[in-house]
């Protein structure tokens, strides 16, 4: 049996390990927190710092394959492992580009992939030189995630909110839709493309409230998005699963925002909504099996379950009974003991042929299920 190691033990690692149970594989996981969501689902748990060179190298050197569930890992150790013949998926060279938003943007520009125009800045003070470039979005080079590390700089007054570190200042796009396309690349370069996902904003609450798959896109926008996503991933020359996040605008343009070189929140609906889930697909890639079918079995909506505002402490799931009594819904709780405002604690997938029903149930779930503390 192949020995496969995962760096990081959050919910992505958890769902990956839930699927691993269906495959002939011996799983290893490295993570600092022995109570992390994925920790008890692996065969071998190794407590360790995934950003530390020695820890990652020691973890990986006796394995067949190493993968990640988060970008913030020690890339130098992965490079050494790859040089020594361990299969590292995604390839460390791809990870190195993606980990740093400056390198990522330069990569898109170099490969002529449409992405919002940008300048590179090194300090907050430097933003003063780019007042004519505003309105823009300032994105820190290293270490940002889930919107942390992103600041909107509309006018000169907002410059104080900028980052005093290497960063990208990117032209603000008037976004029509935010979409994501997940692409699977096998070790021999075959690809499988998932249908696009629409990340919907609630116009009243103005919060990202749910995802819908497949996204409702004009045909020309759909083909543009697919072409951009494929080209952006192919040029990385790496196998793995890649989530390509894009913006569309009112003129029908498609702009690449960013790539994640791993399973992604925008693919969770694929567990129930598609023939082969993103997690199943990654195991097929890691273990050299044929790629699976990405087609939609049934349209789906996904509601992220995040820690409610004003509650911090031991998590409690209010309304779980009511939601579990609904038809065609699938609840995934991530097993995090502590909640805090905005923390991703789980998700609920709804499947239905009828888009109105998807939206109706998504709203019903948002108004029923809350993660609070005792
Ligand atoms: P993160 O990696 O933390 O998710 P993103 O780069 O995806 O950060 O940005 C977070 C959000 O900020 C996006 O989902 C989008 O809503 C908004 N955003 C990012 N870049 C732009 C842009 N150029 N124009 C308008 N909005 C943007």
């Amino acid at each position: 049996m192949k020995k496969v190691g995962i760096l990081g033990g959050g919910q992505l690692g958890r769902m990956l390990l839930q699927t691993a149970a269906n495959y002939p594989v011996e799983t290893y996981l490295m993570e600092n927190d022995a109570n992390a969501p994925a920790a008890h689902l692996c065969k071998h748990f190794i407590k360790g710092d995934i950003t530390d060179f020695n820890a990652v190298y020691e973890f990986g050197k006796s394995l067949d394959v190493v993968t990640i569930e988060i970008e913030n890992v020690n890339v130098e150790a992965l490079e050494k492992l790859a040089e020594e013949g361990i299969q590292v998926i995604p390839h460390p060279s791809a990870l190195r580009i993606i980990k740093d938003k400056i390198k990522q943007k330069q990569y898109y520009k170099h490969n002529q992939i449409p992405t919002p125009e940008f300048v590179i800045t090194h300090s907050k003070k430097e933003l003063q030189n780019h007042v004519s470039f505003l309105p823009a979005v300032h994105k820190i080079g290293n270490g940002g995630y889930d919107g942390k590390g992103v600041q909107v700089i509309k006018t000169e007054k907002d410059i104080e909110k900028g980052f005093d570190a290497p960063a990208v200042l990117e032209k603000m796009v008037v976004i029509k839709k935010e979409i994501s396309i997940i692409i699977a690349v096998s070790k021999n370069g075959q690809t499988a493309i998932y249908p696009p996902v629409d990340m919907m904003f609630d116009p009243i609450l103005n919060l990202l409230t749910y995802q819908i798959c497949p996204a409702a896109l004009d045909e020309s926008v759909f083909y543009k998005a697919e072409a951009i996503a494929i080209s952006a991933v192919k040029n990385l020359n790496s196998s793995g699963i890649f989530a390509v996040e894009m913006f569309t605008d009112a003129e029908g343009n498609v702009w690449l925002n960013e790539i994640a070189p791993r399973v992604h929140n925008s693919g969770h609906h694929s567990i129930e909504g598609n023939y082969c889930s993103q997690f199943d697909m990654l195991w097929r890639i890691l273990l050299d099996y044929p790629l699976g079918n990405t087609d939609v079995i049934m349209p789906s909506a996904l509601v992220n379950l995040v820690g409610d505002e004003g509650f911090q402490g031991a998590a409690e799931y209010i309304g779980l009974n009511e939601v579990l009594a609904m038809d065609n819904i699938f609840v995934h709780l991530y097993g995090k003991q502590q909640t805090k405002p905005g923390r991703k604690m789980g998700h609920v997938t709804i499947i239905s042929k009828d888009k109105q029903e998807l939206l109706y149930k998504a709203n019903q779930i948002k108004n029923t299920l809350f993660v609070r503390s005792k």
Side-chain angles (χ1 to χ4, degrees):
M1 256 198 308
K2 277 200 181 156
K3 296 177 179 176
V4 177
I6 302 166
L7 293 172
Q11 62 266 20
L12 300 173
R14 179 184 179 92
M15 289 182 267
L16 196 53
L17 286 166
Q18 285 172 334
T19 310
N22 297 327
Y23 282 95
V25 59
E26 191 168 343
T27 55
Y28 291 73
L29 183 107
M30 189 160 81
E31 157 71 47
N32 243 338
D33 174 8
N35 290 317
H40 68 289
L41 289 170
C42 55
K43 175 108 176 141
H44 306 275
F45 178 78
I46 292 99
K47 191 170 156 59
D49 179 358
I50 59 174
T51 65
D52 180 76
F53 180 92
N54 288 325
V56 172
Y57 178 69
E58 289 301 318
F59 171 75
K61 70 178 191 196
S62 57
L63 302 177
D64 297 304
V65 188
V66 175
T67 191
I68 57 162
E69 63 111 54
I70 184 168
E71 287 91 332
N72 190 20
V73 295
N74 191 290
V75 181
E76 291 75 18
L78 292 176
E79 279 165 345
K80 186 166 159 69
L81 289 167
E83 274 165 29
E84 292 177 6
I86 311 293
Q87 295 188 339
V88 181
I89 296 174
H91 196 274
S93 58
L95 193 54
R96 196 174 267 291
I97 294 170
I98 289 171
K99 247 188 107 170
D100 181 343
K101 281 204 168 153
I102 297 174
K103 288 206 179 84
Q104 204 182 131
K105 290 290 285 190
Q106 288 169 329
Y107 163 81
Y108 301 142
K109 194 171 172 188
H110 179 76
N111 289 286
Q112 290 159 358
I113 292 159
T115 189
E117 200 187 323
F118 66 97
V119 290
I120 293 163
T121 58
H122 301 89
S123 66
K124 195 187 283 192
K125 208 171 94 219
E126 224 182 284
L127 288 172
Q128 291 293 350
N129 304 339
H130 302 292
V131 172
S132 63
F133 194 77
L134 304 180
V137 181
H138 205 208
K139 300 183 176 184
I140 199 157
N142 273 297
Y145 69 97
D146 278 354
K148 299 179 180 79
V150 174
Q151 281 292 352
V152 174
I153 314 281
K154 278 201 176 136
T155 64
E156 203 174 344
K157 279 206 310 284
D158 298 325
I159 285 180
E160 59 179 281
K161 292 192 288 180
F163 300 104
D164 209 11
V168 171
L169 185 69
E170 186 179 288
K171 277 255 191 244
M172 188 143 184
V173 175
V174 182
I175 298 173
K176 183 174 172 195
K177 272 178 191 273
E178 294 201 34
I179 59 171
S180 164
I181 293 183
I182 292 180
I183 299 189
V185 185
S186 72
K187 287 182 202 157
N188 57 20
Q190 278 185 317
T191 54
I193 304 162
Y194 282 88
V197 173
D198 210 329
M199 328 233 240
M200 312 263 289
F201 284 82
D202 185 310
I204 298 157
L205 292 171
N206 200 26
L207 289 169
L208 172 65
T209 48
Y210 34 77
Q211 292 164 192
I212 298 276
C213 182
L217 298 176
D218 293 341
E219 208 172 323
S220 68
V221 173
F222 170 81
Y223 286 119
K224 243 185 246 177
E226 237 188 27
I228 289 171
I230 292 170
S231 144
V233 168
K234 276 271 183 185
N235 281 296
L236 288 170
N237 293 315
S238 166
S239 59
I241 294 276
F242 299 88
V244 185
E245 292 184 63
M246 290 165 280
F247 304 138
T248 72
D249 67 16
E251 286 79 49
N253 296 307
V254 178
W255 304 99
L256 201 152
N257 177 32
E258 61 175 350
I259 299 182
R262 51 166 171 77
V263 287
H264 191 255
N265 199 134
S266 64
H268 291 349
H269 65 283
S270 64
I271 298 173
E272 291 90 7
N274 300 60
Y275 289 96
C276 179
S277 79
Q278 61 170 346
F279 302 101
D280 194 339
M281 191 69 96
L282 184 54
W283 284 112
R284 288 163 175 259
I285 296 167
L286 299 174
L287 301 171
D288 299 302
Y289 292 115
L291 294 180
N293 180 358
T294 57
D295 286 350
V296 165
I297 300 172
M298 186 86 85
S300 59
L302 181 137
V303 178
N304 281 317
L305 198 53
V306 300
D308 207 358
E309 286 302 321
F311 295 89
Q312 185 146 358
E316 219 187 5
Y317 302 91
I318 314 287
L320 190 54
N321 264 313
E322 289 87 329
V323 168
L324 286 169
M326 291 164 63
D327 284 336
N328 307 333
I329 62 96
F330 304 88
V331 175
H332 296 257
L333 300 181
Y334 300 155
K336 298 180 184 177
Q337 285 156 15
Q338 300 288 316
T339 184
K340 60 180 177 190
R343 187 173 193 202
K344 283 182 184 160
M345 301 296 286
H347 73 262
V348 183
T349 302
I350 309 142
I351 62 170
S352 172
K353 282 199 282 276
D354 175 4
K355 189 161 178 194
Q356 282 313 317
E357 188 187 347
L358 289 178
L359 297 181
Y360 176 78
K361 283 190 175 161
N363 275 312
Q364 211 179 356
I365 289 165
K366 284 222 67 109
N367 295 325
T368 308
L369 186 54
F370 300 96
V371 190
R372 293 183 174 152
S373 56
K374 290 181 182 137

